[in-house]
Amino acid sequence: MSQQNPDLIIENLHVNVEGQEILKGINLQANIGEINAIMGPNGSGKSTLAYTIMGHPKYEVAQGRIVFRGEDITKEKPTQRARLGLFLSFQYPTEIPGVTVSNFLRTALNALRPQPVPVPEFLKLLKEKMALLKIDQSFASRYLNEGFSGGEKKRTEILQMAVLQPRMAILDETDSGLDIDSLKIVANGVNELMGPHMGALVITHYQRLLNYIKPDRVHIMMDGRIAMSGGDELVQKLESHGYEWVQKGAGLKV
Amino acid sequence: MEDKTMPVSAAGEPEWVSAKRRDALASFSSAPYPVMRYGLNITTDLGELGLENLKAQRQKPPKVENMNKDIIIADLFTALKEYPDIVEKHLFRSMGFADCRCPNCITNVIANHKLASFHQAAWSRGLLVYVPRGVTAGEPVYADLHTEGSSIDHTIIVAEPRSSLSFLENLSGEGKYRSGVVEVFAGDGSRVNFGSMQNYGRGLVNFSLKKAIIGRDANVEWVTCDIGSGITKSDVSSVLNGPGARTMNRGIFLGSEGQHFDFHINAIHSSPHTESYLLTKGALNDNAKAIYRGLVKIAREAKGANGYQKADTMILGGRAEADPVPYLEIDNNEVKCGHATTVGQIDPDKLFYLMSRGLTEIEAKRRILEGFFEPLVRLLQVEHTQNEARRLMHGGIIRGLGKEMEASV
């Protein structure tokens, strides 16, 4: 695997949002089967990176490119990115009134699969994944995210990931707003799903989630750039020294 | 099935009915056609209707499904013979002022004067549904009102105190003109659930007046779904006439290709502790146009009243226009009242969310729109009507989105 090109390549990525430059030359590589953590203080551009990888039209790529599984997806629509195996677990999932969780997930799964999935098979899959994430079965017939608590929304995001089985999932601040029990359930779910066919970019402000989901690589973002990359030990170092330490040591690439 | 020039009067109907027709005909002849022009240059022109010379085909009597023997369901001409007291007590009573002291209703009646008078002079098909005191009607009463050519349909619903009724009208057919008046008399403590599914051919002008007089602690819920017709002028009014009376009024519309909709939704609070909730959702394709005027009127004596209205319109086509204006008229300080209107396109964040799960742009838009309507479609009381509404909306949404996609390429 190390001999081949990485599955996700982000090269010199500059991104503007409403005319303001937020990402200022991101370089990042990640493979399916690996967990990469992206840490950084508020405003460092972590969520912008997540949205840009997934192709939100508001995030304008001014320079650079994104390649996933050999395809340059910089200009692709989100639909095409999802079909290649990318997935974004939203920090603030949108409510879709009138569309049930079950109905939506079946539509999405059929959009991703070459053949429609038979209904009984889908229902079995959904039930199994709901059990894994300890989501009450009644959620299947509720409108997507409507009236869900913060924690329920996050769990439903991971449920979608579990059912759709992407190759690379971007988890954008999945830990925010979760109590410790929910955090454990979500982390356990993610760990169950990870394997040689699925990788993750775990975006988080705190080390808390990374106590449960062990990253292979850790990248620290500051002011729209990757300031530092390293192994698991960076998490502990950040915990004891804080982000100021990265600032002071900027340029000190590990 | 002979053609007749309207107005008609039915052979053998009582003299008091014919007298009402003559009075109405005189008002009709002297009133001008309404000219409906609103802010955004939206015009609904009815001047060329030529109702004086309208050829009306006698329509089949309404087809009604309900097996409940405790309630009366009768063709209105039959009811004039068999239940003359009930009909005489209620026919056109809601259209007068006896039950409503609100000056706004006068305004409404004047604006509708020509068409309402024509209706009163020329009604040629009708239905009476009468639910006696304390009776629960059970299964929804389903009425199929099919129009061929032109029809003038009058529906009277009487729910006596502490009774309950669910009623659904299915309006279909091709033709030139359809006038439909519905009068609901909800007695003290009664519940009436009124659904309407309208899918006329695109050449038809649809004039619709619906009015409920709602007694003490009674509750009237409206669900109206307008998809068809060329022009629809529709007023739905709820007069909250006894303390604790409530209404929920929910409307859906979907328009395309030159359709005009003109909705007036009114809640008249004339008693204390009354509640109204008006919610309208619509989507417009192509160059379709919609006007929404919502009024929550709270009289001086209606202390402790609660009124809320909301109108949301999605614009799918570049040349579609919507002009929603909510009005609040409040004559005392002890009330809670609110309103909100939105006119917009599909939320780009919702679109991104669904596309990020692999749906194409058009599939994602369709899901969002169907989801937008679904909570209201679910309220239509009969499952096959819900499915019919979904099927029609699905078709309308896909066609509209398809054209937009072509246009944007």
Side-chain angles (χ1 to χ4, degrees), chain A residues 51 54-56 77-79 82-83 87-88 90 94-95 97-99 103-104 107-108 111 143 145 157 160, chain B residues 281 347-361 363 366-368 370-372 374-375 378:
Chain A
Y51 277 122
M54 206 65 227
H56 194 300
K77 296 228 173 200
T79 310
R83 289 179 182 186
F87 179 90
L88 172 61
F90 286 67
T94 314
E95 296 186 0
V99 178
N103 196 319
F104 165 62
T107 308
Y143 294 150
N145 295 323
E157 290 295 290
Q160 293 180 41
Chain B
K281 286 187 175 191
D347 178 354
D349 285 324
K350 285 188 170 50
L351 195 58
F352 173 65
Y353 188 67
L354 297 194
M355 288 174 75
S356 82
R357 301 300 189 240
L359 276 64
T360 60
E361 186 171 345
E363 280 169 346
R366 176 171 74 77
R367 289 278 154 181
I368 293 165
E370 289 178 355
F372 173 66
E374 177 59 23
R378 269 190 190 187

Side-chain angles (χ1 to χ4, degrees), chain B residues 16-22 24 76 86-99 109 115-125 152-156 179-185 209 211 213:
Chain B
W16 67 265
V17 176
S18 304
K20 280 194 188 229
R21 290 188 191 274
R22 285 193 300 271
L76 202 48
I86 297 176
V87 180
E88 188 166 4
K89 190 176 163 195
H90 296 100
L91 182 65
F92 300 126
R93 197 174 56 113
S94 75
M95 298 173 79
F97 313 118
D99 297 284
V109 168
L115 305 180
S117 300
F118 180 73
H119 180 97
Q120 294 187 45
W123 67 274
S124 59
R125 176 166 66 171
I152 302 166
D153 301 329
H154 198 83
T155 301
I156 299 174
S179 172
V181 173
V182 173
E183 301 184 86
V184 175
F185 302 92
L209 277 184
K211 192 161 179 183
I213 311 297

